[in-house]
Amino acid sequence: MKDPIMNFDLKSLDLAQAAAHKGDALLVLVPEGFKPGQDELGRLIASAVKSGDLQTKAGKLLMSYQVPGVACTRLVLAGCDEGSPRQVRQAVAAAVGALRSSPCRKLVVCLSALAHDDAVRMAVQAAADASYVYTTTKSKPEPRTLEQVTIGVADAALSRPAFERAVAAVRGVEYAKEWANRPGNHATPTMLADAARRLAKAPHLQCTVMGPKQVAKLGMGAFMAVAQGSHEELRFIELRYDGGAKGDAPTVLIGKGISFDSGGISIKPAAEMDEMKFDMCGAASVLGVFRALAELKPAINVVGLIASCENLPDGKAVKPGDVVTSMNGQTIEILNTDAEGRLVLCDALTYAERLKPKAVVDIATLTGACVIALGGVRSGMFSSHDELAAALLAAGESAQDLCWRMPLDDEYGEGLKTHFADVANVGGRPGGAITAAKFLQRFADKFPWAHLDIAGTAWKGGAAKGATGRPVPLLLDFLLAGGGGGAATSVAKKAPARARRKA
Ligand code: BES
Ligand code: MN
Ligand code: ZN
């Protein structure tokens, strides 16, 4: 895949310097109570606010052309209330969206009235989001017009770390979007594995890919049952990023990689079935995180696991009522072949045990029920481990890629009981997102575990149909903050003791 062509740079620019900066458009974020300096642009902004022509409410814009004293052709003033991360994102998204009406290649964003790291991050992410275009399977692609974004802040040296992190996050988000947006025939399990291999050419990265034979040898009977209805071969992908100390327990991310989910024999209705090409958004987010890690090179250890296959109906497909044996020996009655995500994930969770992880987070477009419960704003987060849950919630907040903790009371798992196997793959419809999580929890008792149901947040339907790249920003913040919080230190401390006993 082509790398995103969008370039970012960071400069120290006060308003006067921003006014003198060349480009197609200058975007100035104007917070409530804006205080002008002695410069011309500052005075102009102050009078626009005073007259009411510019409202400082986030998302409100005032656009002008060839303003004397402003070197950029267009000037956009954008209100951003108090300049909270959310408001900065809203302001930049509105402004970059408005600029799309006519070509803008070089954009200067002046944040000097807001000098804090969150503003830098949000501005970078929002500018990328609002200008993103998917082109891969178009014969005459109209490439993204925005090529260069200069972020102007009060002190570039101070904002540099936040800026670099934000740019890396954008690279990861765009990599995730790219793979998620590709149609099923352009993002097969094999192609996803090849993408992972290419990523692993960067320093500190390694990749192993397993096919049907190796997966059979491991005994991943649940994963294999999903794949058996398709002529596309399954792939089990293991990506490793070893930036931390050798022997430090890794954080493991597991991505659901159903490259197309027809439902299998329990086939889905035709309407919007195309959107099930997005059923590998969990896998895409893992690829995106590794793309960002390759750029940032933090001192941490991370393993990414992707279980990828298609879910199709076929003469060889798994049937409702079939019982299969998962990698950890539990037998599963597959009552609904459309509840396939949990089947591929349960074997990946068992596999994760051998990595001696400090924490495991699986990421999956798992249930329509989660879309009903939380909509498209927050991802569903489930964890039996309070510290891990707190770390994920905090990462969601700091990255503005929100999640919400959901319950795991044992009563929710009762519907999974069956006479014919250890567990069934579906319960009733009520609380469907939670039942799915309760199923996964049965395979996640050897490590601190969390599950992110991103069915509502990973892509948008309708006119704006496309992947969001979520939850790459959340996962990155989570990893950079320790990848498992308190659990991280307690497990990491134990590891050397074990090593000493062995020696
Ligand atoms: N990939 C779907 C979940 C999904 C559906 C995500 C719609 C986003 C939008 C998953 O494999 C699935 O089909 N789940 C079933 C589970 C049910 C059979 C218990 C669902 O949600 O209907
Ligand atoms: Mn399904
Ligand atoms: Zn699915």
Side-chain angles (χ1 to χ4, degrees), residues 256 261 268 276 279 336 338-340 342 365-368 426 455 459:
K256 171 179 173 183
D261 179 14
K268 289 180 180 293
M276 284 297 114
D279 212 16
N336 189 321
D338 197 11
E340 85 297 339
R342 58 199 82 180
T365 48
L366 202 63
T367 63
V426 290
W459 79 88

Side-chain angles (χ1 to χ4, degrees), residues 65-412:
Y65 178 67
Q66 287 191 348
V67 175
V70 174
C72 286
T73 319
R74 280 179 280 169
L75 172 66
V76 186
L77 304 177
C80 64
D81 285 307
E82 303 101 66
S84 76
R86 217 177 124 254
Q87 292 157 344
V88 170
R89 186 170 63 182
Q90 224 179 326
V92 175
V96 175
L99 284 167
R100 274 166 80 149
S101 53
S102 57
C104 170
R105 290 193 309 115
K106 291 198 168 136
L107 172 68
V108 183
V109 183
C110 181
L111 300 174
S112 60
L114 296 155
H116 60 84
D117 288 354
D118 287 337
V120 173
R121 296 177 63 173
M122 290 302 127
V124 167
Q125 185 69 61
D129 268 331
S131 62
Y132 172 86
V133 272
Y134 170 81
T135 57
T136 310
T137 43
K138 299 248 187 127
S139 72
K140 294 180 194 69
E142 280 175 50
R144 158 189 245 155
T145 40
L146 190 55
E147 286 170 9
Q148 177 76 40
V149 178
T150 302
I151 303 283
V153 292
D155 185 337
L158 277 182
S159 298
R160 180 76 49 195
F163 170 78
E164 277 168 7
R165 201 158 141 175
V167 173
V170 162
R171 302 289 182 238
V173 163
E174 300 212 339
Y175 198 73
K177 283 187 184 179
E178 168 66 20
W179 278 103
N181 281 332
R182 286 192 188 190
N185 63 331
H186 291 263
T188 62
T190 308
M191 292 174 193
L192 291 175
D194 291 343
R197 280 203 193 95
R198 283 196 297 278
L199 272 182
K201 286 186 179 147
H204 302 295
L205 279 161
Q206 274 173 278
C207 177
T208 347
V209 175
M210 291 188 256
K213 280 200 190 120
Q214 290 122 309
V215 163
K217 210 167 158 201
L218 285 168
M220 294 184 166
F223 180 20
M224 283 157 57
V226 178
Q228 78 191 36
S230 168
H231 293 238
E232 269 313 321
E233 283 192 358
L234 62 76
R235 290 289 182 268
F236 190 78
I237 306 165
E238 180 170 353
L239 267 164
R240 278 181 168 273
Y241 170 79
D242 290 307
K246 220 179 170 154
D248 262 9
T251 303
V252 176
L253 304 179
I254 301 180
K256 171 179 173 183
I258 301 296
S259 57
F260 187 75
D261 179 14
S262 72
I265 297 293
S266 316
I267 198 161
K268 289 180 180 293
E272 291 167 12
M273 202 206 269
D274 65 287
E275 292 190 13
M276 284 297 114
K277 72 171 183 178
F278 292 119
D279 212 16
M280 36 62 75
C281 281
S285 75
V286 173
L287 292 176
V289 166
F290 276 78
R291 175 71 186 78
L293 292 176
E295 191 122 333
L296 275 177
K297 302 179 193 69
I300 55 175
N301 294 336
V302 188
V303 178
L305 301 176
I306 292 172
S308 181
C309 68
E310 287 184 338
N311 184 24
L312 295 183
D314 178 77
K316 289 205 160 64
V318 73
K319 306 173 293 301
D322 283 1
V323 173
V324 299
T325 305
S326 65
M327 184 175 173
N328 79 355
Q330 287 185 70
T331 59
I332 303 166
E333 185 185 25
I334 301 178
L335 286 173
N336 189 321
T337 65
D338 197 11
E340 85 297 339
R342 58 199 82 180
L343 296 173
V344 309
L345 291 173
C346 71
D347 282 340
L349 284 165
T350 302
Y351 183 88
E353 288 174 14
R354 62 181 60 190
L355 304 168
K356 309 229 175 339
K358 66 175 172 187
V360 176
V361 181
D362 74 70
I363 309 107
T365 48
L366 202 63
T367 63
C370 194
V371 189
I372 303 299
L374 293 174
V377 181
R378 289 178 186 256
S379 304
M381 186 265 287
F382 301 78
S383 182
S384 43
H385 194 278
D386 289 343
E387 279 172 275
L388 181 53
L392 287 163
L393 275 174
E397 288 291 336
S398 63
Q400 282 295 295
D401 180 3
L402 302 170
C403 65
W404 191 256
R405 191 172 183 185
M406 302 278 281
L408 280 170
D409 303 285
D410 281 338
E411 287 82 350
Y412 285 108

Side-chain angles (χ1 to χ4, degrees), residues 12-28:
S12 297
L13 296 176
D14 60 21
L15 258 184
Q17 290 164 321
H21 202 289
K22 288 210 177 77
D24 297 309
L26 169 63
L27 164 60
V28 182

